[in-house]
């Protein structure tokens, strides 16, 4: 999505849906050649294949097959220290008002019970490109324009190219180790998961990558999944690159985000206890917070409030929606940890900046009731 927006904004143009969705009238039963800049067609009555040439004026053509597509003509090229020429891809969901037939996207992350996908690629030599699987999310159920969060899974990287931003660590997902990059292209934030070697096929849980992104504080469970896409970003060459198969399934039935809080239990600290564990250094700190329900009835939805000592500012959080106004911090449950049974716990954490000496907060209130320290 960022690709069309950036190219067209530079030209001072607005995209009408008629320019983006050129051939959605019928599914591609035989191979269908697409050379229009933003031309598209439907395959399997379920997915959209799009040419999506946004970074060059040179001709690019793709051949949509029953299971994916192949790049057949690619005349443009781009410097490897800049953006690619295009993002030909196949997608499920909504992309610039172009929605795949019968899609249930956008769907709120908290409502997703499972999201799975399978992808197979065919690679070529002598070209500079990445094989990228994109997951798009936004705070609103957006069906047009650029989304605020892009998750990129780099299954293959050829040539001197790299993701947006810088390396922030590694993680294990889908049975593999990924190098994690984080940055912004000026239109949206990007978290990229880069494979250490080329992956030609992958059957995986899309939700695992969404959850990892959420745990890094980039989104919350109240955000919406709008589309999932698989294709190529070519810089130089690339004829013969192909997605040979693609499937995606997103199922609802998850837990709603932020259920209404229960009435605070009587007796102040008799209903809750908070364990606050911090680790600080010269100019920053992290904190892990564990809430224990010490009452006799379940908590269905919680809001924890407390004050941070001077010089501390929250920058990102995981497993809770955390905001700060002055010294007051407000942490609200996400969809997966809103219910806490008697004797049960809910945990979240965050990172912050520090000016001066460190000290921990001393008092906490859960749904309006004072909690004891544990």
């Amino acid at each position: 999505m960022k690709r069309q927006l950036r190219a067209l904004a530079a030209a001072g143009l607005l995209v009408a849906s008629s320019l983006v969705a050129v051939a959605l009238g019928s599914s591609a039963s035989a191979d269908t050649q697409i050379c229009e800049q933003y031309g598209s067609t439907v395959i399997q009555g379920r997915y959209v294949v799009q040419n999506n040439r946004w970074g060059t004026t040179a001709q690019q053509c793709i051949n949509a097959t029953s299971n994916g597509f192949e790049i057949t003509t690619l005349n443009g090229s781009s410097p490897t220290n800049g953006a690619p020429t295009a993002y030909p891809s196949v997608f499920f969901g909504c992309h610039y008002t172009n929605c795949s037939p019968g899609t249930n996207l956008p769907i709120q992350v908290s409502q997703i019970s499972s999201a799975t996908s399978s992808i197979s690629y065919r690679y070529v030599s002598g070209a500079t490109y990445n094989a990228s699987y994109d997951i798009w999310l936004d705070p609103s159920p957006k069906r047009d324009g650029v989304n605020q969060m892009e998750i990129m899974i780099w299954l293959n990287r050829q040539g001197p190219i790299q993701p947006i931003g810088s390396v922030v660590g590694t993680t294990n997902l889908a049975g593999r180790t990924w190098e994690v990059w984080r940055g912004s292209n000026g239109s949206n934030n990007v978290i990229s998961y880069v494979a250490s070697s080329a992956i030609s096929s992958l059957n995986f849980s899309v939700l695992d990558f969404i959850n990892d992104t959420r745990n890094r504080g980039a989104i919350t469970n109240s955000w919406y999944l709008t589309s999932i896409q698989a294709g190529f970003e070519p810089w130089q060459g690339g004829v013969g690159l192909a997605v040979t198969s693609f499937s995606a399934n997103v199922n609802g039935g998850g837990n709603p985000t932020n259920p209404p809080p229960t009435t605070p239990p009587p007796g102040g600290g008799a209903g809750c206890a908070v364990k606050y564990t911090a680790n600080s250094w010269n100019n920053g700190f992290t904190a892990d917070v564990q809430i224990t329900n010490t009452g006799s009835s379940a908590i269905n939805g919680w809001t924890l409030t407390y004050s941070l000592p001077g010089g501390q500012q929250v920058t990102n959080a995981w497993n809770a929606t955390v905001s700060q106004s002055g010294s007051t911090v407000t942490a609200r449950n996400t969809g997966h940890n809103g219910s806490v049974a008697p004797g049960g716990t809910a945990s979240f954490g965050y990172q912050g900046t520090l000016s001066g000496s460190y000290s921990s907060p001393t008092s906490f209130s859960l749904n309006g009731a004072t909690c004891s320290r544990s």
Side-chain angles (χ1 to χ4, degrees), residues 76-245:
S77 65
S78 296
T80 55
N81 62 348
T85 63
Y87 184 53
S89 55
V90 53
F91 72 84
F92 175 78
C94 294
H95 177 100
Y96 280 77
T97 73
N98 189 352
C99 294
S100 57
T103 183
N104 58 343
L105 305 186
I107 183 173
Q108 197 170 49
V109 171
S110 63
Q111 299 290 337
I112 301 173
S113 59
S114 66
T116 57
S117 186
S118 178
I119 179 73
S120 294
Y121 290 97
R122 185 177 71 234
Y123 299 133
V124 299
S125 59
T128 300
Y129 64 90
N130 72 40
S132 176
Y133 192 106
D134 273 19
I135 305 167
W136 288 95
L137 302 111
D138 196 79
S140 65
K142 199 166 188 178
R143 291 177 172 84
D144 63 336
V146 69
N147 286 185
Q148 290 189 24
M149 186 70 228
E150 178 185 17
I151 301 172
M152 296 187 72
I153 306 174
W154 287 45
L155 288 94
N156 190 5
R157 171 171 52 168
Q158 296 297 315
I161 56 174
Q162 68 180 42
I164 290 168
S166 58
V167 178
V168 295
T170 60
T171 191
N172 293 308
L173 295 169
R176 299 172 182 270
T177 299
W178 307 83
E179 188 177 65
V180 184
W181 293 63
R182 190 165 183 173
S184 173
N185 62 23
S187 298
N188 55 269
N189 296 319
V190 186
I191 291 182
S192 301
Y193 299 84
V194 182
S196 58
S197 59
I199 300 172
S200 59
S201 63
L202 190 66
N203 190 347
F204 68 105
S205 169
V206 174
L207 195 55
D208 286 350
F209 288 87
I210 293 174
N211 288 340
D212 187 79
T213 298
R214 182 203 62 209
N215 292 342
R216 295 174 187 276
I219 65 166
T220 70
N221 275 3
S222 65
W223 283 46
Y224 290 81
L225 171 64
T226 64
S227 71
I228 47 184
Q229 312 178 0
F232 300 94
E233 289 186 324
W235 272 260
Q236 297 169 6
V239 170
L241 291 170
V243 171
T244 57
S245 69

Side-chain angles (χ1 to χ4, degrees), residues 1-77:
M1 293 184 180
K2 71 176 187 297
R3 307 166 177 85
Q4 290 185 10
L5 181 67
R6 186 164 55 200
L8 293 171
L13 300 175
L14 294 176
V15 182
S17 60
S18 60
L19 291 177
V20 180
V22 174
L24 284 180
S26 59
S27 297
S29 54
D31 291 0
T32 302
Q33 180 173 267
I34 304 172
C35 296
E36 296 88 352
Q37 183 175 8
Y38 300 121
S40 65
T41 191
V42 173
I43 63 172
Q44 300 180 32
R46 178 176 173 83
Y47 308 117
V48 176
V49 171
Q50 59 178 356
N51 197 24
N52 200 8
R53 172 178 57 82
W54 62 272
T56 179
T57 58
Q59 186 182 49
Q60 172 182 285
C61 297
I62 62 174
N63 195 46
T65 66
S66 58
N67 295 312
F69 69 91
E70 176 185 0
I71 300 176
T72 56
T73 304
L74 206 163
N75 295 327
S77 65

